[in-house]
């Protein structure tokens, strides 16, 4: 198989043997982000489709996810880090009840490689923890990720809680994850939230929103 397809296949099959060598070969002609965005994410998309249609079982999805993580970790040192530091702070978490963190961690990598401090709280984080981390770290924005349909309701509750705590106007909120869409976030959720909530389709939109917050 050509190199790009081989990398996709490795993600789909959860095959880590020889993965780093293939990544190093790809790095000779392409940038790390390009490899993630084209080959690795295409592979994850196929995994999602196979899982969704019942053709792939959960343990294999987990292997694919682990392979994806390994690949991203291997590529991370090859991303152009910005010279600027401390452009602003983003507190980032996957919401309560949700374990999906590959997308969130990509947001972390891309935003932190562009000069921001990212406080990555991990997965299954209740809003109380997210809110205190924002306060303690003097955050400029809060980012929440969630992939499950039920996480969209958790996000709605989280926004209500930020309002209740009087923190809504203090922290612009960025939401991302496959179960969300722009209309749901920027119309439905925004209507009920006294602060500002925006939708990021991918990690780059997350970065753009962070830039907008700091502008
Ligand atoms: Co799960 N899972 N999973 N899973 N899983 C989905 C989400 C699902 C759509 C699969 C399917 O059915 N087709 C489905 C949800 C269905 C629904 O809710 N209606 C599902 C399910 C059902 C489940 C379980 C319930 C399965 C079970 O136990 N029976 C279970 C849930 C456990 C829980 O959370 N409580 C579960 C478990 C798992 C694994 C552990 C095996 C593994 C996760 C491993 C991990 O993350 N460490 C896993 C995986 C890998 C997936 C799929 C296949 C791939 C997700 C992924 O990593 N994509 C997924 C199918 C899919 O999404 N199509 C699926 C790649 C990643 C880069 O994309 O996270 O979307 P994504 O991030 C994008 C953007 O969304 C955006 O930027 C990223 C790209 O640049 N983004 C942000 C994300 N967060 C952002 C935050 C931002 C900005 C942008 O700012 C704050």
């Amino acid at each position: 198989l050509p190199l790009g397809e081989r990398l996709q296949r490795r993600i789909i099959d959860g095959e880590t043997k020889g993965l780093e060598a293939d990544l190093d070969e790809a790095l000779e002609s392409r940038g790390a982000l390009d490899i993630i965005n084209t080959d690795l994410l295409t592979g994850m998309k196929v995994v999602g489709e196979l899982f969704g249609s019942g053709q792939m079982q959960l343990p294999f999805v987990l292997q694919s996810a682990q392979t994806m993580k390994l690949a991203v970790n291997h590529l991370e040192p090859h991303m152009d880090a910005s010279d600027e530091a401390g452009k602003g702070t983003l507190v980032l978490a996957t919401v309560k009840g949700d374990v999906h963190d590959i997308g969130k961690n990509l947001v972390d990598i891309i935003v932190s490689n562009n000069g921001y401090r990212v406080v990555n709280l991990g997965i299954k984080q209740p809003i109380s923890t997210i809110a205190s981390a924002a306060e303690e770290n003097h955050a400029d924005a809060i980012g929440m990720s969630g992939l499950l349909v039920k996480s969209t309701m958790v996000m709605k509750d989280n926004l209500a809680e930020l309002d209740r705590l009087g923190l809504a106007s203090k922290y612009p909120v960025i939401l991302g994850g496959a179960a969300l869409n722009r209309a749901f976030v920027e119309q439905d959720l925004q209507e009920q939230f006294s602060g500002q909530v925006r939708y990021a389709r991918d990690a780059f939109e997350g970065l753009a929103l962070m830039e907008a917050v700091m502008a």
Side-chain angles (χ1 to χ4, degrees):
L1 285 180
L3 183 57
E5 282 174 42
R6 211 155 70 219
L7 282 168
Q8 279 177 39
R9 207 59 249 173
R10 286 190 181 285
I11 298 295
I12 299 165
D13 296 341
E15 174 63 69
T16 53
K17 203 161 153 269
L19 172 71
E20 297 190 346
D22 275 357
L23 290 170
D24 289 337
E25 190 184 332
L27 280 168
E28 284 167 19
S29 55
R30 295 156 60 204
L33 278 181
D34 182 42
I35 299 167
I36 292 178
N37 278 326
T38 41
D39 308 322
L40 305 185
L41 285 182
T42 309
M44 270 326 276
K45 191 162 169 268
V46 175
V47 171
E49 285 160 8
L50 290 173
F51 183 46
S53 62
Q55 293 175 73
M56 191 178 203
Q57 300 304 312
L58 203 58
F60 297 98
V61 179
L62 194 55
Q63 273 179 29
S64 295
Q66 279 159 353
T67 308
M68 177 79 186
K69 282 191 177 186
L70 254 175
V72 171
N73 286 343
H74 188 76
L75 293 173
E76 193 187 353
H78 298 276
M79 289 181 204
D80 310 325
S82 148
D83 292 337
E84 306 154 270
K87 288 204 301 192
T89 300
L90 174 69
V91 162
L92 181 65
T94 299
V95 299
K96 189 176 78 182
D98 198 322
V99 303
H100 297 89
D101 67 354
I102 295 174
K104 167 184 68 65
N105 292 340
L106 275 179
V107 173
D108 180 352
I109 289 171
I110 285 163
V111 172
S112 50
N113 273 297
N114 280 279
Y116 294 93
R117 184 164 76 100
V118 176
V119 181
N120 188 338
L121 301 174
I123 58 171
K124 299 206 264 183
Q125 292 300 316
I127 187 62
S128 52
T129 310
I130 299 172
S132 6
E135 291 284 273
E136 280 159 23
N137 291 285
H138 307 287
D140 296 289
I142 291 175
M144 293 189 267
S145 178
L147 267 73
L148 299 173
V149 169
K150 72 170 189 198
S151 298
T152 62
M153 288 304 123
V154 174
M155 287 176 180
K156 184 178 172 181
D157 293 345
N158 287 354
L159 292 177
E161 182 63 9
L162 287 176
D163 254 327
R164 203 188 62 78
L165 293 169
L167 298 175
S169 58
K170 204 166 166 189
Y171 304 113
V173 178
I174 303 170
L175 300 181
L180 299 165
N181 61 59
R182 194 170 307 282
F184 175 73
V185 174
E186 296 184 358
Q187 290 163 31
D188 302 2
L189 293 184
Q190 181 66 78
E191 249 168 43
Q192 300 163 36
F193 183 52
S194 72
Q196 197 195 20
V197 58
R198 301 291 303 275
Y199 169 69
R201 192 189 53 228
D202 55 30
F204 295 99
E205 258 194 45
L207 171 63
L209 288 172
M210 198 60 202
E211 305 269 2
V213 163
M214 300 312 299

